[in-house]
Amino acid sequence: PQPETWKPTGNTITIDGFQIECAALEAVAALADRQKMVFHGGHPIQVQHEDLPADAYRLTIEEDGVTIAASSYGGQLYAAVTLVMLLRDGPLPCGEIYDAPRFGWRGQHLDTARHYYEPESIFALLDLMALLKLNRFHWHFADDEAFRIELETMPELTEKTKFRGDGQFLPG
């Protein structure tokens, strides 16, 4: 998505990546690694708290460093995703970007109840969702009341609900 505002200075910088200093940046660095994009390097990033709407950010790119201003983890994450996308295109343009999501719910639906997908495909979809700044994953993984994913914290949930029908915990 295009940012709300972009004020370029006209300068560019060529860098090999950023110094990682917070959890949101680490998450995006891992995403960049999986996508074979470079994010780790020596250019400093300063993260500041600023009273902005949920998931909004102000990204200032200068020759001597980058500043991310956000009020939440989501804003920091989306600013870092913007940096990854800008790095992918070559020299980093200097200037200030302000962006906030247009919609609070930006999602993707996947139906694995009717179609099987390899786990790697689902992970790739989640990475793509992050790059597109989507924030909701609606996963339709079962067509009935059975709960088929084992959870270590609630083993009885799967044990009692994995079968349906006559003589079972859940009727047919």
Side-chain angles (χ1 to χ4, degrees), residues 78 104-113 115-130 132-142 149:
Y78 298 133
W105 190 286
R106 305 169 308 279
Q108 169 69 43
H109 170 256
L110 180 65
D111 183 353
T112 58
H115 309 282
Y116 177 78
Y117 294 91
E118 294 288 336
E120 294 78 22
S121 297
I122 297 171
F123 292 137
L125 174 64
L126 293 172
D127 281 349
L128 181 60
M129 288 175 60
L132 294 173
K133 301 179 183 175
L134 300 180
N135 67 349
R136 298 290 189 268
F137 180 50
H138 179 96
W139 193 3
H140 182 187
F141 66 87
I149 296 179

Side-chain angles (χ1 to χ4, degrees), residues 68-100:
I68 294 173
S71 63
S72 66
Y73 175 88
Q76 294 172 10
L77 182 82
Y78 298 133
V81 167
T82 298
L83 281 173
V84 165
M85 300 309 279
L86 289 172
L87 272 176
R88 182 187 66 158
D89 294 335
L92 201 58
C94 294
E96 183 181 277
I97 295 173
Y98 172 80
D99 199 15

